[in-house]
């Protein structure tokens, strides 16, 4: 039975809940009545589709997390770390609260602004914090909304913890290791052991970081510059576990269990391969792309065991159904969407666009790989442009060598790990892996450095996704039915999408200025035309840390506009934005940074804000009398004692003040 209508109905049910929540019960009642009507009238398709919509609504309602009560007061919470993301100077922990108090049993984001103590999945945390809604953290246009990411992960509040006075460890959180780790923690430990084994196998550090990413999914050791080069060349998918990696693992497992085939236990070999793939999926974290690939591989292996044919499209739909029934919010994650769209496009187009006439097997193999690459890019281009604002141009040149070298690298590293476990040290294999990875990195960098290697700053509006994927669906129908009429309809839809994109007005203004959230200094990102700069009142010795901590926000901003960031506090002399050490002017908004210059002195214009930073040690009365600002702004870079002293001075003098600049400055 075709599962495509059922899958689309399940997706529709999950999407509808996001629109009508908390009135889901009414939608369930309507669709249940429609299902009963379909059964009564013997309309099988209607009843199945209605039942799938109901299933989507119900499973989404079940998996909707309870909201955490936000009191606005510092409260002691206890919870378990569900997931941990580590950065250079901080950790972001998703914590499932387990306190007995009412309203303290949901999920929150806990930002631990220190690398110590190191939190691991499954740890029990006890901390005192003030919870705040996730939506309070404002974003700028083009940034992936934080509240949407929180909604996908079932998070309803956030909190932040900072290091103690020594600046080395965040003593505000008490971490206790579990006595008996659960299954997730056990598999996570196996993954860490595999990463350690990769780094101990003898290959160089860059090869080890790459192999850890493609074998275990742990990409934390990859350099940001390397990620960007792979993305520009159109092979970023190589760094994230996907169906290609699972296919290589499945092939290697089939070789391992080949002796069972020789012994006549063909079904046992296939079943053992399926079990090995599921073990690999759990060790790598059961990401949507790996989950999907392992389900599809299991369906194929089961078909081989029972000597039944399997439909690739049905297998893909079955994988989507299983994932969404257990994790419905994965539907809204970019990883899930890109993974399924890529495979769906390959299934629908890659094996139907080649001519039927005979050709040499090597030529057909090359053309088939080209068809697979083109189909995958066509399926994911719009969503990728919507989320990441970048479309690679020379993806074929990069994907052909990547497709050839990746199996060699993964297979070679697995053999090397097995040899190390057996006490052998094949130096020739180490050299082979390092050489192959060197070729891959060199080719990727070469292709990514070509002129026009990628189209950056693609501002793809969400509503354009509808005609784009409608054009792909109609093109698939035209290919399936060999119909010119449907083909012309697909071409018209594609031209409409292109014309709408070309005629669409710019999504972003010509000049922008936003304050980024940073505890230890005021950081402003500004843009006028093609120039983009970070302005901060932090001391020059902290510029590197500011860039490191802010790199995620900066990358989201620059990628969406197709620009490169200039050095911190660069001089700007534009028509609408001007910045030096004495004055920051954003159109009609003027800020006088107090502390960036050597001494306090008048400026030619009256500023709206006088921004007092930690490097100013004078009085607030002096700032008020010298600069005559509308408002004094106390920077977040001020130490606690400085902040208290300056607050007392401005309150005593009746001087208008505020703590921190507003988020949107233009």
């Amino acid at each position: 039975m075709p599962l495509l209508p059922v899958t689309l109905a399940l997706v529709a049910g999950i999407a509808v809940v996001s629109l009508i929540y908390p009135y889901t019960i009414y939608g369930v009642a309507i669709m249940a009545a429609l299902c009963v009507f379909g059964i009564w009238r013997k309309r099988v398709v209607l009843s199945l589709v209605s039942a799938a919509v109901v299933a989507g609504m119900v499973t989404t309602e079940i998996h909707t997390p309870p909201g955490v009560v936000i009191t606005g007061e510092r409260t002691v919470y206890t919870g378990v770390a569900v997931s941990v993301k580590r950065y250079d100077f901080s950790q972001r922990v998703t914590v499932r609260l387990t306190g007995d108090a009412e309203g303290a049993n949901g999920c929150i984001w806990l930002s631990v602004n220190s690398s110590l103590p190191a939190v691991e999945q499954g740890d029990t945390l006890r901390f005192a914090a003030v919870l705040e809604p996730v939506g309070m953290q404002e974003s700028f246009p083009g940034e992936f909304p934080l509240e949407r990411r929180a909604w996908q992960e079932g998070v309803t509040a956030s909190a932040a913890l900072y290091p103690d006075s020594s600046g080395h460890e965040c003593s505000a959180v008490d971490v206790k290791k579990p006595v008996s780790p659960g299954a997730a923690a056990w598999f996570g430990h196996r993954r860490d052991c595999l990463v350690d084994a990769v780094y101990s196998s003898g290959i160089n550090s860059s090869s080890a970081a790459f192999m850890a990413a493609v074998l275990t999914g742990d990409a934390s050791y990859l350099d940001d510059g390397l990620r960007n080069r792979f993305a520009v060349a159109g092979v970023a998918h190589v760094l994230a576990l996907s169906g290609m990696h699972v296919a290589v693992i499945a092939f290697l497992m089939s070789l391992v269990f080949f002796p069972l085939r020789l012994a006549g236990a063909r079904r046992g070999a296939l079943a053992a391969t399926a079990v090995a793939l599921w073990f690999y999926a759990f060790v790598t974290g059961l990401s949507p792309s790996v989950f999907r690939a392992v389900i599809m591989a299991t369906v194929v292996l089961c078909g081989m065991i029972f000597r039944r044919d399997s439909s690739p499209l049905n297998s893909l739909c079955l994988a989507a159904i299983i994932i969404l029934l257990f994790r419905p919010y994965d539907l809204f994650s970019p990883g899930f969407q890109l993974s399924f769209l890529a495979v769906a496009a390959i299934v629908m187009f890659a094996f139907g666009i080649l001519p039927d006439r005979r050709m040499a097997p090597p030529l057909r193999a090359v053309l088939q790989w080209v068809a697979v690459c083109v189909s995958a890019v066509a399926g994911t281009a719009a969503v990728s442009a919507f989320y990441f604002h970048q479309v690679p141009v020379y993806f074929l040149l990069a994907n052909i060598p990547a497709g050839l070298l990746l199996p060699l690298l993964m297979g070679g590293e697995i053999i090397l790990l097995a040899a190390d476990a057996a006490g052998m040290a094949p130096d020739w294999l180490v050299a082979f892996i390092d050489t192959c990875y060197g070729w891959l990195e060199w080719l990727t960098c070469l292709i990514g450095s070509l002129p026009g290697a990628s189209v950056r700053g693609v501002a793809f509006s969400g509503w354009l996704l509808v005609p784009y994927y409608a054009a792909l669906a109609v093109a698939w129908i035209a290919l399936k039915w060999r119909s010119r009429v449907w083909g012309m309809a697909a071409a018209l839809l594609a031209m409409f999408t292109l014309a709408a994109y070309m005629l669409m007005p710019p999504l972003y203004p010509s000049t922008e200025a936003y304050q980024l959230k940073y505890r230890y200094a005021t950081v402003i990102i500004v843009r006028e035309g093609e120039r983009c700069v970070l302005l901060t009142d932090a001391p020059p010795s902290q510029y590197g840390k500011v860039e490191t901590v802010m790199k995620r926000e900066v990358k989201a901003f620059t990628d969406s506009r197709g620009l490169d960031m200039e050095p911190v506090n660069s001089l700007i002399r534009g028509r609408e934005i001007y910045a030096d050490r004495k004055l920051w002017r954003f159109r009609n908004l003027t800020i006088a940074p107090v502390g960036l210059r050597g001494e306090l002195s008048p400026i030619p214009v009256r500023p709206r804000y006088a921004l007092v930073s930690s490097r100013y040690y004078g009085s607030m009365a002096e700032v008020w009398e010298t600069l005559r600002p509308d408002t004094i702004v106390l920077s977040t870079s001020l130490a606690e004692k400085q902040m208290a002293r300056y607050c007392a001075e401005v309150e005593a003098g009746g001087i208008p003040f505020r703590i921190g600049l507003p988020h949107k400055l233009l």
Side-chain angles (χ1 to χ4, degrees):
M1 184 190 76
L3 294 179
L4 183 59
V6 177
T7 307
L8 294 177
L10 182 67
V11 168
I14 296 172
V16 165
V17 171
S18 66
L19 298 175
I20 67 173
Y21 185 83
Y23 305 105
T24 309
I25 185 64
Y26 301 109
V28 171
I30 293 172
M31 296 310 300
L34 193 59
C35 179
V36 172
F37 175 78
I39 295 173
W40 174 54
R41 300 294 297 177
K42 297 182 179 179
R43 305 288 185 182
V44 178
V45 176
L46 177 61
S47 58
L48 284 176
V49 168
S50 304
V53 173
V54 171
M57 291 181 174
V58 172
T59 190
T60 307
E61 185 70 26
I62 292 173
H63 288 86
T64 300
V68 179
V69 175
I70 299 175
T71 62
E73 299 177 355
R74 182 170 296 276
T75 308
V76 177
Y77 296 97
T78 304
V80 177
V82 178
S83 63
V84 182
K85 291 185 179 179
R86 293 186 179 88
Y87 306 103
D88 294 333
F89 300 101
S90 63
Q91 307 169 76
R92 195 186 76 184
V93 188
T94 302
V95 181
R96 181 183 293 112
L97 299 181
T98 57
D100 297 330
E102 183 180 357
N105 56 352
C107 284
I108 68 167
W109 275 338
L110 182 65
S111 297
V112 182
N113 290 277
S114 171
S115 57
L116 295 173
V119 181
E120 296 180 350
Q121 185 180 7
D123 290 352
T124 299
L125 310 180
R126 183 177 175 82
F127 56 94
V130 179
L131 298 185
E132 64 177 18
V134 177
M136 287 182 62
Q137 304 176 34
E138 297 181 273
S139 59
F140 48 77
E143 184 183 13
F144 192 75
L146 198 62
E147 58 269 20
R148 182 176 173 186
R149 185 182 291 114
W151 180 65
Q152 292 172 5
E153 297 184 15
V155 171
T156 55
S158 64
L161 302 176
Y162 295 93
D164 56 15
S165 57
S166 66
H168 296 296
E169 183 170 341
C170 191
S171 59
V173 58
D174 180 32
V175 180
K176 292 184 178 179
K177 301 297 179 182
V179 178
S180 56
W186 186 86
F187 280 112
H189 182 65
R190 303 282 81 73
R191 178 185 182 183
D192 293 340
C193 291
L194 184 56
V195 172
D196 292 341
V198 169
Y199 272 87
S200 303
S201 61
I203 58 178
N204 61 46
S205 58
S206 57
S207 301
F210 176 81
M211 295 312 307
V214 301
L215 285 178
T216 71
D218 187 351
S220 58
Y221 299 98
L222 287 175
D223 179 68
D224 289 334
L226 179 67
R227 295 172 190 260
N228 185 60
R229 291 192 294 270
F230 272 67
V232 171
V235 289
H237 59 90
V238 171
L239 301 177
L241 291 182
S242 62
M244 181 189 299
H245 304 79
V246 173
V248 174
I249 297 296
F251 173 73
L252 294 174
M253 290 301 100
S254 66
L255 294 180
V256 170
F257 298 119
F258 187 71
L260 291 178
R261 283 176 169 267
L262 295 179
R266 172 181 168 276
R267 293 185 176 182
L270 295 173
T273 301
V275 171
L277 288 179
W278 279 106
F279 182 82
Y280 176 74
F282 280 103
V283 167
T284 55
L286 215 62
S287 65
S289 57
V290 174
F291 200 1
R292 181 261 310 156
V294 171
I295 291 175
M296 293 183 68
T298 303
V299 171
V300 172
L301 291 171
C302 289
M304 295 172 67
I305 290 174
F306 298 106
R307 302 184 185 277
R308 299 289 181 87
D309 293 332
S310 59
S311 165
L313 187 57
N314 259 10
S315 301
L316 179 65
C317 291
L318 179 61
I321 290 171
I322 293 175
I323 292 174
L324 293 177
L325 285 177
F326 290 96
R327 301 193 310 204
Y329 286 102
D330 278 0
L331 174 66
F332 304 100
S333 68
F336 178 92
Q337 295 170 7
L338 291 171
S339 174
F340 276 87
L341 285 172
V343 177
I346 291 171
V347 169
M348 292 191 298
F349 296 106
F351 302 99
I353 60 179
L354 290 183
D356 295 331
R357 65 176 183 270
R358 289 189 175 184
M359 59 181 69
L363 178 60
R364 176 169 285 278
V366 172
L367 292 179
Q368 193 70 72
W369 179 246
V370 170
V372 167
C373 294
V374 171
S375 301
V377 170
T380 58
V383 170
S384 180
F386 177 72
Y387 286 116
F388 309 115
H389 313 287
Q390 181 172 274
V391 177
V393 176
Y394 306 132
F395 59 90
L396 281 178
L397 296 178
N399 273 279
I400 291 175
L404 295 174
L405 291 173
L406 183 62
L408 296 177
L409 285 166
M410 293 181 66
E413 181 61 24
I414 290 175
I415 294 173
L416 180 60
L417 293 176
D420 285 344
M424 296 182 289
D427 294 337
W428 64 269
L429 188 54
V430 171
F432 173 78
I433 294 172
D434 287 338
T435 302
C436 286
Y437 175 71
W439 288 347
L440 177 61
E441 186 175 353
W442 177 78
L443 285 169
T444 301
C445 295
L446 176 64
I447 295 169
S449 63
L450 294 175
S454 69
V455 180
R456 298 180 62 199
V458 181
F460 206 91
S461 180
W463 71 268
L464 284 177
L465 297 175
V466 177
Y468 180 88
Y469 284 105
L472 283 185
V474 173
W476 176 55
I477 295 173
L479 183 64
K480 193 176 182 65
W481 292 354
R482 303 293 178 181
S483 170
R484 293 184 179 179
V485 175
W486 284 95
M488 292 177 61
L492 289 174
L493 279 171
M495 288 189 291
F496 169 80
T497 305
L498 180 61
Y501 173 74
M502 299 296 292
L503 297 174
M504 187 176 61
L507 294 180
Y508 312 115
S510 59
T511 57
E512 299 174 277
Y514 300 95
Q515 184 193 4
L516 303 180
K517 187 174 182 180
Y518 184 54
R519 175 180 171 85
Y520 304 106
T522 297
V523 181
I524 302 173
I525 190 167
V526 299
R527 178 182 72 86
E528 181 175 6
E530 301 296 318
R531 295 199 63 188
C532 195
V533 175
L534 278 181
L535 301 176
T536 180
D537 60 357
S541 61
Q542 295 295 313
Y543 288 175
K545 183 175 181 179
V546 169
E547 289 180 324
T548 301
V549 175
M550 294 285 99
K551 64 183 177 182
R552 285 175 291 157
E553 291 83 355
V554 167
K555 188 176 188 304
F557 188 90
T558 55
D559 285 353
S560 60
R561 289 140 179 88
L563 303 175
D564 294 318
M565 182 65 65
E566 297 185 16
V568 177
N569 280 4
S570 295
L571 177 65
I572 303 179
R573 296 182 183 273
R575 295 179 58 185
E576 296 188 288
I577 293 179
Y578 174 90
D580 59 17
R581 296 181 65 84
K582 294 185 177 181
L583 178 69
W584 296 343
R585 177 178 56 79
F586 313 128
R587 202 172 292 161
N588 296 324
L589 173 65
T590 304
I591 300 174
V594 180
L596 288 184
R597 46 193 167 164
E599 59 183 29
L600 189 62
S601 60
I603 58 176
V605 296
R606 179 178 179 178
R608 183 183 302 181
Y609 299 122
L611 177 63
V612 180
S613 69
S614 60
R615 287 181 290 168
Y616 177 71
Y617 302 101
S619 67
M620 292 298 97
E622 184 182 1
V623 174
W624 180 254
E625 293 171 359
T626 304
L627 299 177
R628 306 304 299 174
D630 294 339
T631 305
I632 286 182
V633 177
L634 302 180
S635 171
T636 53
S637 64
L638 294 173
E640 186 175 350
K641 291 183 178 180
Q642 275 184 302
M643 181 71 74
R645 192 187 102 201
Y646 289 157
C647 284
E649 287 184 14
V650 292
E651 288 174 352
I655 301 173
F657 78 101
R658 61 176 292 159
I659 297 176
L661 291 167
H663 168 68
K664 186 175 181 180
L665 300 172
L666 272 181

